[in-house]
Amino acid sequence: MRLKLGVIGAGHFGRFHTLKAAGASRQEFPRVEFLGLADADPARAAQVAAEAGTRAWESAGALMAAADAVIIAAPTAFHHGLGMAALAAGCHVFIEKPIAATLAQADALVAEAAALGRVLQVGHVERYGAGMATLRGSGGVGRPLYMEAVRVAPFRPRSLDITVILDLMIHDLDLVLSLAGADLVGVEAFGATMVSERTDFANARLRFANGAQATITASRASLAMERRLVVHGTEGVARLDFLAREMTLVRKGRGAPLEQLPGHGIETLSWQDHDNLEAEQAAFVAACLDGAPVVVDGVAGRAALDAALRVEAACSG
């Protein structure tokens, strides 16, 4: 069986999804029949379609009617409407993060997908990264007690319809939520506008029901790029530098002995980046065709949105 797949949206991420799906359907994913893309701007759709060597459809509705599954990479404000229309057309749905603009919209998407028996996957691509795979493969550092994430980058004039919280921080919110393994019970935050009309810098402090805590910083107006995650756990500390592709582990009874920390040892692991988007799309195809578990389903996407909206509220409050 081949999955008839289409992309809705020809913007920044829509273009990447189209290029990846068009190429993958001819190579890595022989079970995918890529139908093409649709966008509210026909000229933009035609431009991306020509670049990918695929078809630009006259409307999203026409593409949904022909497809088994769609990737929705339109602006956030349109996620709910397009997602509900795709589900009504019988499609499995991959929707870029954030899942929707409001929790009510997210709940409607989750409920509709469940009622219709369709796959609903949310595009939190960092879950598929080699760095997080290396952390998981290392055995980890026990139950997380405190986590610190930093994601800052120079300004780029895109995704300015949403805050840096929904644009960048939501990636680390999703990672921290998945690591904490408990409900989010408290949020404090500060945010500031710098170069756009919406929050460009934010710092959030999170508390979880199991006692774990986290601090997350995100900026899209930094002089340089930085991406790191530190996890203090019951069995040690993991420090991941995603740009250097390196993780340092300090753990009890493992690694090269540390004189200054009796009973502890240190290990340094590195990784080669793989194509996270390809891995994410492959997981979607496997979920649609084989019933494979959805790593980031609608419930996880909803949880990340809830956390992001609570951070935004704390910033404005």
Side-chain angles (χ1 to χ4, degrees):
M1 180 179 178
R2 300 188 75 196
L3 185 74
K4 295 180 180 179
L5 176 67
V7 172
I8 311 296
H12 181 76
F13 283 109
R15 173 178 173 270
F16 283 134
H17 274 294
T18 298
L19 292 170
K20 183 57 59 181
S25 67
R26 294 189 290 265
Q27 300 172 33
E28 292 88 349
F29 306 154
R31 296 190 297 165
V32 172
E33 179 184 347
F34 186 59
L35 301 182
L37 78 155
D39 191 271
D41 181 348
R44 173 65 180 172
Q47 178 185 349
V48 174
E51 184 181 4
T54 190
R55 174 183 173 183
W57 289 67
E58 62 274 15
S59 71
L63 178 53
M64 291 173 186
D68 301 316
V70 294
I71 296 171
I72 296 174
T76 303
F78 300 100
H79 284 187
H80 171 259
L82 289 170
M84 294 296 281
L87 290 169
C91 294
H92 299 292
V93 174
F94 175 113
I95 196 162
E96 262 301 340
K97 58 83 187 170
I99 183 174
T102 69
L103 293 179
Q105 291 177 352
D107 288 337
L109 286 166
V110 171
E112 189 72 359
L116 296 174
R118 300 291 95 180
V119 171
L120 177 60
Q121 180 174 319
V122 185
H124 288 283
V125 70
E126 298 292 350
R127 292 273 203 109
Y128 301 88
M132 294 305 295
T134 301
L135 175 61
R136 291 190 297 269
S138 71
V141 290
R143 182 174 66 84
L145 302 173
Y146 175 75
M147 294 165 280
E148 181 182 5
V150 175
R151 184 182 300 261
V152 301
F155 179 72
R156 289 180 289 178
R158 65 171 182 81
S159 299
L160 301 184
D161 60 316
I162 55 177
T163 66
V164 71
I165 299 159
L166 287 168
D167 181 19
L168 298 183
M169 183 183 281
I170 196 168
H171 284 298
D172 291 315
L173 287 168
D174 174 65
L175 292 181
V176 164
L177 287 168
S178 70
L179 291 169
D183 291 338
L184 179 62
V185 296
V187 175
E188 297 178 4
F190 168 81
T193 58
M194 298 179 69
V195 290
S196 77
E197 295 181 356
R198 299 181 184 271
T199 303
D200 298 309
F201 169 86
N203 174 269
R205 295 161 299 285
L206 314 179
R207 292 184 293 107
F208 296 91
N210 62 359
Q213 299 190 36
T215 300
I216 304 177
T217 300
S219 173
R220 59 185 180 194
S222 177
L223 294 178
M225 186 175 290
E226 184 178 356
R227 281 196 54 216
R228 56 183 170 84
L229 172 67
V230 181
V231 182
H232 294 259
T234 53
E235 298 298 320
V237 181
R239 300 177 183 274
L240 291 84
D241 185 328
F242 292 97
L243 298 185
R245 303 175 183 86
E246 185 173 274
M247 175 174 67
T248 301
L249 290 163
V250 175
R251 296 186 286 191
K252 297 176 182 178
R254 300 177 66 174
L258 284 170
E259 183 178 343
Q260 61 270 46
L261 282 176
H264 290 71
I266 187 169
E267 303 167 77
T268 300
L269 305 177
S270 61
W271 63 83
Q272 293 293 322
D273 280 341
H274 59 228
D275 192 324
N276 296 357
L277 191 64
E278 180 180 301
E280 189 177 43
Q281 287 191 4
F284 180 54
V285 172
C288 294
L289 292 181
D290 307 327
V294 182
V295 175
V296 190
D297 60 12
V299 173
R302 196 260 190 205
L305 174 63
D306 174 55
L309 294 177
R310 290 168 72 175
V311 172
E312 286 193 331
C315 285
S316 60

